[in-house]
Amino acid sequence: MAAPLHLLPALLRLLLLLLPATPEATPISLLGISYGRVGSNLPPPSAVPQIVATLGLGRVRVYNPDPATLRAFANTGVELVVGVPDECLAAVSTPAGAADWVRTSIQPALPATKIGYLTVAVTTPHNLGVLATSFPPSSATFRKDLLPMLCPILDFHVRTGTPFFINAYPYFAYAEEPSRIHLEYALLEPGYPGVADPVSGLHYTNMLAAQVDAVYHAIAAANAAAGRTVEVRVSETGWPSAGDANETGASPQNAARYNANVMRLVSQWKGTPLKPAVPLRVYMFALFNENLKPGPTSERNYGLFKPDGSPAYELSYRLPKDNTNSGGGGYNGHGDGSEESGYYSISAAAKTTMGWWTWTRASVAACVAVLVMAL
């Protein structure tokens, strides 16, 4: 269904967090993982919590309130971020519809299953395709044609205290320009000397931090208030363990190095050079290889685990043991990474074709209010 011009495009499906983040932040709360189920050979949901436990993660993102999945995580202490599926948006656009959806889809799992957040899909997490420039990070700006849509979103984040989500994939930047980008920089290797921003003077030892700061700078350039108050979180990041012949860098060795380094960075609670006091909150993509995902071979090989539950590769780093679950984040959507977006390119979630629902501000607010009260 075609979208009226006044609606936000598929590039910008705003992720709405419904509950406030806990101020305390620990490694286990800052890092989560996506549990997608686009596969015909995946393990049953009952087997998944134990697999998650082997990673030491305390938070899992699921895309819909599948009853078997919610039951599987009962009494585990793992915090779930549960998405309202796109096909349900029309139904939950009224207070009565939202209340009914919560009553039938969420409440049966409570309180045994720890559901910390619900996400309502109004726009997708953003990718660097929304930027007119991305390098150096301090010069990053949003595309002028998208500002009429992005500025209201930033205003919304300022008013509600919610974060701005990005799908950050150094892999795509490296695969597009392997002769220009050092592999160690894209893999977040701690020994890499780094890249300097010639304008700000800040030094970037890894590309993920540079991608995040590019978005921070673009936000500040578009909305000064948002630049001071809106937090950028990584709704997806990962590295494929296999790919087509033209997908440079897709290998088990590189995937193992990248994801281990993501875990190491998050466990050290370090922010970016621009925002050193703000812990970097990240969701890794993904838990399993999903054999029914469309697109290039890499799309079916982002999993840390094979469908039989065995590791796709061995990680050289493990999160420190921690029994505290806190913090916040969430996202919806995963792209094919083919969007041309420059030196610090981010996964092209915009390429995914999605349905459209006409949402008024009143209907969104009503849905949010009912969902919050229900939890």
Side-chain angles (χ1 to χ4, degrees):
M1 178 170 64
L5 293 177
H6 69 278
L7 293 179
L8 299 177
L11 178 62
L12 305 171
R13 289 195 346 168
L14 172 64
L15 182 70
L16 178 63
L17 272 83
L18 301 179
L19 299 178
T22 307
E24 295 295 329
T26 63
I28 200 170
S29 72
L30 297 175
L31 187 67
I33 196 163
S34 166
Y35 171 24
R37 300 193 303 275
V38 188
S40 61
N41 56 357
L42 298 178
S46 59
V48 173
Q50 181 58 42
I51 295 173
V52 172
T54 65
L55 295 172
L57 298 175
R59 304 188 61 236
V60 173
R61 169 73 168 107
V62 296
Y63 293 95
N64 57 65
D66 172 62
T69 300
L70 299 189
R71 287 195 302 269
F73 282 95
N75 304 311
T76 63
V78 172
E79 182 181 271
L80 297 185
V81 176
V82 181
V84 180
D86 285 354
E87 61 269 20
C88 297
L89 294 182
V92 301
S93 62
T94 65
D100 183 66
W101 185 86
V102 170
R103 184 167 50 251
T104 59
S105 301
I106 300 297
Q107 285 186 341
L110 302 176
T113 300
K114 185 177 181 181
I115 299 176
Y117 298 85
L118 298 178
T119 57
V120 181
V122 183
T123 69
T124 61
H126 312 275
N127 66 71
L128 215 60
V130 302
L131 298 184
T133 59
S134 58
F135 182 80
S138 59
S139 299
T141 58
F142 290 122
R143 286 167 41 191
K144 289 184 178 180
D145 60 316
L146 297 179
L147 284 175
M149 291 162 283
L150 282 169
C151 286
I153 290 174
L154 293 174
D155 289 338
F156 172 83
H157 286 312
V158 172
R159 293 196 309 271
T160 59
T162 50
F164 188 94
F165 284 93
I166 60 167
N167 292 344
Y169 284 86
Y171 161 72
F172 291 120
Y174 174 76
E176 290 167 4
E177 299 183 276
S179 62
R180 185 182 177 192
I181 298 173
H182 288 277
L183 179 61
E184 290 75 15
Y185 184 52
L187 290 176
L188 324 181
E189 288 291 342
Y192 184 72
V195 175
D197 184 320
V199 179
S200 69
L202 295 176
H203 191 79
Y204 291 90
T205 58
N206 68 82
M207 182 175 281
L208 184 63
Q211 290 179 335
V212 172
D213 275 359
V215 177
Y216 270 124
H217 280 289
I219 291 173
N223 184 314
R228 292 190 299 270
T229 61
V230 173
E231 180 185 350
V232 175
R233 297 184 183 179
V234 179
S235 47
E236 285 185 15
T237 193
W239 197 286
S241 60
D244 296 323
N246 63 341
E247 294 187 287
T248 305
S251 71
Q253 295 79 15
N254 287 342
R257 291 167 68 188
Y258 182 82
N259 284 308
N261 284 331
V262 168
M263 298 174 81
R264 175 184 54 80
L265 284 174
V266 173
S267 71
Q268 294 172 354
W269 305 357
K270 289 183 178 179
T272 65
L274 183 64
K275 301 282 187 176
V278 180
L280 189 61
R281 301 174 187 267
V282 176
Y283 270 80
M284 294 190 296
F285 192 91
L287 190 56
F288 297 109
N289 289 335
E290 300 171 69
N291 68 340
L292 296 183
K293 295 201 71 175
T297 297
S298 62
E299 280 297 303
R300 294 175 288 282
N301 290 278
Y302 274 90
L304 273 66
F305 291 91
K306 299 176 183 178
D308 64 3
S310 63
Y313 41 79
E314 293 297 329
L315 294 170
S316 61
Y317 183 90
R318 296 284 178 174
L319 286 174
K321 290 186 177 181
D322 191 334
N323 294 321
T324 302
N325 294 332
S326 62
Y331 65 95
N332 182 15
H334 179 62
D336 62 10
S338 57
E339 186 86 359
E340 182 66 31
S341 54
Y343 188 51
Y344 292 127
S345 64
I346 292 180
S347 175
K351 288 268 183 170
T352 303
T353 302
M354 297 181 180
W356 284 99
W357 303 99
T358 302
W359 279 58
T360 65
R361 290 185 180 182
S363 65
V364 172
C367 172
V368 170
V370 172
L371 293 175
V372 171
M373 289 187 293
L375 287 179

